[in-house]
Structure formats: structure tokens, C-alpha cells
Amino acid sequence: MDDKSIKNIILSLTAMFLLLQNNIAQVTPYKYQINKKAEGKNGAVVSAHPLATLAGIEILKSGGNAFDAAIATQLALAVVYPGAGNLGGGGFLLAYTANKEMIALDYREKAPSRSHRNMYLDSAGNAQTNLSQNGHLASGVPGTVSGLFEAHQYATLPFEKLILPAIELAEKGFIITEAEARNLNNARKDFIRHNSITPVFVRDIDWKAGDTLIQKDLAATLKRISKKGLNGFYRGKTARLLVKEMKRGAGIIMRNDLRSYRTIKRQAMVSDYRGYKIIGMPLPSSGGLLIQQMLGMISDYNVSALNYQSPEMTQLMTEIERRAYADRAHFLGDADFIKVPVKKLTSPQYLKERMNDFIPGKAGSSTTTTHGIIDPESEETTHLSIYDKWGNAVSVTTTLNGNYGSKTVVGGAGFLMNNEMDDFSIKPGVPNLYGALGTEANAIQPGKRMLSSMTPTIVLQNEVPLLVIGTPGGTTIPTQIFQSLINLIDFKLSLEEVINNPKFHHQWFPDMIFYEKDFPSTTIETMIKMGYECKQRGPIGRTEGILIKNGIIQAVGDKRGDDHAEAF
Ligand code: DON
């Protein structure tokens, strides 16, 4: 027996011992329940899937910190939540450590070296969104595995231990939830269309809740990562399988693209809102900037004098969202490639002026209200929130973009590739999967990162974490977080209300207010009278939040999905 096998056995025995010691031996991947709310004093994890949350909380209980738990939870999500948890995608990790350091890791996908700005236009110049949204050509170079290893420098346990739950879940299987069964059945045709080697997600009969999903190829990939680190993914067998898969489907990701992928450590965006410090992700995520803009615009208004979800409040927020998203479409993209006037876009003076044409009681228009004037300057993603007993807060949003990404599984390696190229503006004026418009700033360029809406957020009160929050939902993400912050800070709602109450969204174009089913109908009727077009839509996002107050750590998972909270 070699050293490695002995090490693995010791790790498995330790894991078993810990399970028994913590008296959760009854939790198995073949029998688990969803828990929406949990409280404790020592740590909390909330994510989109019970088994991923449990992987994270076990790591915290065994002495790991929030970074250890974030790595274990993300890896488990890549197995148990294949629609968005991923190895073949990317994401952003935002953290505030016990010693008051802000960390912003950008492991967003990048455009392959052979990409070019018109790659999704046909010979007549028409945009082919089928190619940017599905199949091999839709993928950017994946960043997740790089991001996990970058995060590991802040962790305390060996990577082999953090990846173990994911390996076991992939190898031995786990039972799927009703939502997962439904999603897999819905994507069946797409899986068949976009793969030449049939993935495990396709079988002859429909999936149903309680069926076991085993992913042997994925387990083998995870083992290569466990053994060889970054090289287990970006080089060697996994990289070869990925490049081969690309060739089978006219994709353009090359070995060199994989080898040269790097996570970028960025400066977090920090602003003040009514005495609270709001920490957000900088570009190429638009999230931090949009939150700063929206909170900046609303800060001059006496919000608590308006009623929660009243027409006045909804209109004010809508008009603010309209203006922020008009700026997003015009100015925002990867700031390593284009000049983005971030300072000006977030300056109090500019934000005040943006609201000059706001008329209370009368609908604005996206045709007349466009981006601000600036002088040249000198449905599927997933979020997890974690807090540990030392005071480290970690907020991660990660994605393949659409549900199950490009639908292409790397043959022999068992993981899904992203369809993140669609987050670029593939042609000015052509909306992407989320209806977002873009221009030059977000045009495709080799090596460039596509603009994102992902908004992992941490709020500090007196320099210590109060809230760790984030959500999926494409372009609705920043407006959801905007609402969550206002509802917590101005309206003093509980964390459960902040997360579960109905939400609404406006993104400049389409010039329309989208709202969830239970949003007050009297407000919607008044908004229509003011001249707004309003449309009910399905659930908006799946927020995962942790609130730390008076020494109690409270975690809440969104009611909209299988989201699961644990604390101890
Ligand atoms: O980065 C972005 O903005 C998108 N790729 C996020 C996609 C997403 O949230 C899907 N979830 N429903």
C-alpha cells in the first residue's frame, strides 16, 4: 500500500469518526432533509443543496475555517447540483477575514484565445444566440478549479480532505431531489443534442425524486485534482479530455487557454450606506458597482418614511434600477481590457444628477433615460454564504451561466461546460439570455472576461460582519441584493422576510417591471396607473444569507429551491 492510499484511509476514518462524534450519523446521501433556517454560535453554512451545506458544516465542525468550508461546499455542489455547481464554470469569492482583510477573488471564465468579436454572427451579420448559449462554442475557459486553489491559501486543512466529500458523492452516488429530477428531464433533449458521448444525466426513463445519481467520470476527475492539484484540471488527462471534447463539437478552447488561466485577486468595492459598510465584488462583476450606484442614488431619500413595497417605494427603486442598468449596458465590461469610469459612475454628485429627471408618480422611460454623461476620465447560478467561529465571512457566487451551462459534458471527465460566452455582448443591441444589452465595453476579445451580474456581498456594522449574502438570477441579482439591503437596513425586516418575501426587478430594457406572484397587487395596479408596464414572472433568485447579531449566527436558505441552512 502506498503513502497516498494510507493517507486516504486515514482521512476516510477521520471523516467517519467526526460524523459519529457529531451525532449526525443518520445523514447519508441516500436520506436527507431540507432545512431552511438554522442558528448557532460557532458557524453556519447555507447553500443550494443539503448535501453541499452538510459537507461544509462538517468541515467547520472538524476545525476548518470558512475558506475550508467554502471550498468543500463548492466542490460538493459540483456533484450534487450539476445545473450550476461546477468545475467547468467560474465565479467570484468575496471574503472579510477575522483580521479585517478584504479578499475578492475573480475566477470568472475568460474568452478563449481563438475567440473574436464577431464569432457569433452569421454571414449576413445576424446574431446566432443558439451558438453563444448552447454547445461547445458557448464556453469560456473555466476558472472554478483555479479559484478554489487560490482560496486554499486562506484555508487551514489539506485540499485532499476538502475534496473528499465531493469524490464520495460522485463515486457512490446520492439521491436527487424532485427539482433536480424535473430539471434533468427538461434538459434531456439538449443533453442529447450537445454531446456525442452520452452523459450520465441521460437515461432511458425519466428521472424521479429519490433516484440515485452516480458520476464515475466526475469522481475520476475530482481524484486527479485531489492528487495533482491545479495540474489535475488545467493540464494532463483532464485538459486532454476537455480539448478533445472541444474538437468533437467545433469548440475553440485549446490546451494553452487552460494552461494560462489565472484567478485574479482584486480590490473589493467598499461603500457606506447609512453607517453600514457594504463590501462588493468589482468588475468584471457588475454587482458591486451596481449596488454602490443604487444605494448611492437612494441614500438621499427618506426611505423609512415610505411604506415597504408601497407604490412610492417600488417606483423609486424601479427608477434607480433603470438608471443603473442603462449605465451597465453602456459603460461596463472587463476593466483589464477597456476603460471604465468607475470613480465617476459611483461619485455622489453623479448619482445625485442621475435622479434629476425622476418624477414621483409618473413612469420614466428607457428610451429617454439612457446612460449618464461622463467626460472622458483623466436561471442557473448558485450562491453560498459561510461564517465561522473566528469571524471569517465568505460569500461565493458561482455558475455555468444557464441551467447545466452549455449542456455539453466533457466526455470521459464527467463535468459540464459553461455557456458563459453569452454574457458578452455578442452584437450591440442583441439581448443575451437575461435580456441584457451591451456595447463595445463588453464586446468579445481573446482573454477578456465577460461582464457578470454576480453580486456576492458582505455588510459590516462597526467593522464586524453583520450580513453575508448573495443569489443567482442573472441580471436580477444586483436588484435582488439592492432590495435585500434596503429591506434589512431601512425596513428592519427579519432575514427570513428579506430572503423569502416577493421581489421585483427592472433592468432598463426591456422597459418593464417584473414581479413575483405574491408581490402586493394593489401596488402593481397603482404602478400601471402611473404608466409602468408590469409583468408577473416565475421565482426571482435563490438567496442564501447569514445574519450575525448579538453573538448568534443565523442562516437562512431561500424557500424558492432546495436550499439548506446549517449552524452549530
Ligand atoms: O454572470 C452572470 O451574470 C450570469 N452568468 C449569471 C447567471 C445566473 O445567475 C443564472 N441563474 N439563474
Side-chain angles (χ1 to χ4, degrees), residues 84 92 108-109 284 286 328 379-382 397-403 419-420 423 432-434 450-454 471-477 541:
F92 298 106
R108 178 72 161 166
E109 300 89 331
S286 60
R328 180 194 195 274
E379 245 165 228
E380 185 76 17
T381 299
T382 193
T397 313
T398 179
T399 190
L400 291 165
N401 193 20
N403 207 9
N419 60 341
E420 218 75 68
D423 270 351
N432 73 4
L433 200 55
Y434 302 98
M450 51 298 276
L451 186 63
S452 172
S453 298
M454 292 190 275
T471 181
T475 43
T476 69
I477 298 173

Side-chain angles (χ1 to χ4, degrees), residues 68 80 103 208 213 322 474 506 537:
D68 289 298
V80 298
I103 296 162
K208 55 181 191 329
L213 177 62
R322 182 199 307 284
H506 192 291
R537 53 156 279 176

Side-chain angles (χ1 to χ4, degrees), residues 228-369:
K228 302 198 166 126
L230 274 178
N231 289 347
F233 186 83
Y234 290 99
R235 287 167 189 258
K237 184 164 179 185
T238 312
R240 271 199 305 280
L241 290 170
L242 200 161
V243 171
K244 239 180 167 172
E245 181 61 57
M246 286 292 129
K247 286 194 177 138
R248 274 198 293 275
I252 54 172
I253 297 177
M254 318 269 287
R255 282 172 73 174
N256 198 34
D257 291 318
L258 294 168
R259 242 180 265 155
S260 63
Y261 186 87
R262 298 284 179 274
T263 292
I264 301 176
K265 199 171 168 185
R266 301 198 183 272
Q267 194 92 40
M269 293 203 72
V270 188
S271 59
D272 176 273
Y273 181 66
R274 306 203 199 281
Y276 295 87
K277 203 175 249 180
I278 315 292
I279 310 175
M281 196 69 211
L283 292 167
S285 165
S286 60
L289 197 148
L290 290 181
I291 291 293
Q292 207 162 316
Q293 280 199 310
M294 293 189 288
L295 291 178
M297 282 187 254
I298 209 166
S299 62
D300 280 342
Y301 294 82
N302 186 3
V303 169
S304 44
L306 302 174
N307 288 327
Y308 170 63
Q309 293 191 335
S310 64
E312 294 76 20
M313 188 62 207
T314 309
Q315 193 211 358
L316 176 63
M317 290 176 80
T318 297
E319 291 302 329
I320 285 171
E321 291 172 7
R322 182 199 307 284
R323 286 158 180 79
Y325 276 72
D327 280 356
R328 180 194 195 274
H330 187 76
F331 293 109
L332 305 193
D334 183 347
D336 291 344
F337 282 72
I338 48 138
K339 241 185 146 158
V340 182
V342 174
K343 238 194 188 148
K344 181 73 191 272
L345 286 170
T346 52
S347 78
Q349 180 63 25
Y350 172 80
L351 295 172
K352 210 181 188 70
E353 283 166 14
R354 286 294 272 149
M355 290 302 280
N356 279 348
D357 58 351
F358 166 62
I359 306 171
K362 185 173 181 294
S365 149
S366 293
T367 319
T368 45
T369 298

Side-chain angles (χ1 to χ4, degrees), residues 408-430:
T408 298
V409 176
V410 174
F415 62 90
L416 277 152
M417 289 296 289
N418 66 82
N419 60 341
E420 218 75 68
M421 290 297 282
D422 190 64
D423 270 351
F424 278 117
S425 171
I426 65 168
K427 182 183 175 180
V430 173

Side-chain angles (χ1 to χ4, degrees), residues 33-336:
Q33 276 169 352
I34 293 174
N35 188 32
K36 291 292 175 196
K37 185 179 169 189
E39 279 185 1
K41 291 188 164 175
N42 295 300
V45 178
V46 53
S47 84
H49 196 284
L51 294 171
T53 296
L54 288 166
I57 202 85
E58 284 318 305
I59 290 293
L60 286 187
K61 285 181 180 173
S62 70
N65 69 12
F67 292 92
D68 289 298
I71 294 167
T73 306
Q74 274 182 93
L75 285 161
L77 280 170
V79 180
V80 298
Y81 193 57
N86 66 82
L87 297 183
F92 298 106
L93 179 149
L94 184 74
Y96 184 75
T97 68
N99 49 22
K100 306 200 183 306
E101 190 189 349
M102 288 176 203
I103 296 162
L105 300 183
D106 161 8
Y107 46 100
R108 178 72 161 166
E109 300 89 331
K110 63 171 185 175
S113 50
R114 288 178 56 207
S115 63
H116 55 94
R117 61 179 296 141
N118 295 334
M119 64 187 275
Y120 298 112
L121 303 188
D122 65 14
S123 51
N126 298 316
Q128 298 175 282
T129 46
N130 56 325
L131 292 180
S132 66
Q133 290 175 6
N134 294 297
H136 299 71
L137 203 57
S139 299
V141 183
T144 293
V145 176
S146 163
L148 296 177
F149 279 97
E150 192 71 26
H152 192 239
Q153 66 182 290
Y154 309 102
T156 56
L157 300 176
F159 201 89
E160 293 95 316
K161 175 165 181 163
L162 307 178
I163 202 171
L164 200 58
I167 294 176
E168 304 228 308
L169 288 163
E171 194 155 48
K172 298 182 184 146
F174 64 98
I175 58 162
I176 61 170
T177 62
E178 195 181 329
E180 190 65 57
R182 195 173 45 242
N183 289 339
L184 285 171
N185 293 335
N186 287 342
R188 187 173 191 276
K189 270 200 196 116
D190 285 327
F191 285 136
I192 292 170
R193 186 171 310 142
H194 298 294
N195 288 285
S196 46
I197 298 174
T198 310
V200 288
F201 306 125
V202 176
R203 61 176 199 176
D204 293 339
I205 51 167
D206 268 356
W207 291 96
K208 55 181 191 329
D211 285 346
T212 302
L213 177 62
I214 294 174
Q215 301 172 79
K216 294 264 187 226
D217 288 344
L218 179 58
T221 298
L222 290 164
K223 281 184 190 166
R224 283 193 291 278
I225 296 170
S226 176
K227 205 164 162 197
K228 302 198 166 126
L230 274 178
N231 289 347
F233 186 83
Y234 290 99
R235 287 167 189 258
K237 184 164 179 185
T238 312
R240 271 199 305 280
L241 290 170
L242 200 161
V243 171
K244 239 180 167 172
E245 181 61 57
M246 286 292 129
K247 286 194 177 138
R248 274 198 293 275
I252 54 172
I253 297 177
M254 318 269 287
R255 282 172 73 174
N256 198 34
D257 291 318
L258 294 168
R259 242 180 265 155
S260 63
Y261 186 87
R262 298 284 179 274
T263 292
I264 301 176
K265 199 171 168 185
R266 301 198 183 272
Q267 194 92 40
M269 293 203 72
V270 188
S271 59
D272 176 273
Y273 181 66
R274 306 203 199 281
Y276 295 87
K277 203 175 249 180
I278 315 292
I279 310 175
M281 196 69 211
L283 292 167
S285 165
S286 60
L289 197 148
L290 290 181
I291 291 293
Q292 207 162 316
Q293 280 199 310
M294 293 189 288
L295 291 178
M297 282 187 254
I298 209 166
S299 62
D300 280 342
Y301 294 82
N302 186 3
V303 169
S304 44
L306 302 174
N307 288 327
Y308 170 63
Q309 293 191 335
S310 64
E312 294 76 20
M313 188 62 207
T314 309
Q315 193 211 358
L316 176 63
M317 290 176 80
T318 297
E319 291 302 329
I320 285 171
E321 291 172 7
R322 182 199 307 284
R323 286 158 180 79
Y325 276 72
D327 280 356
R328 180 194 195 274
H330 187 76
F331 293 109
L332 305 193
D334 183 347
D336 291 344

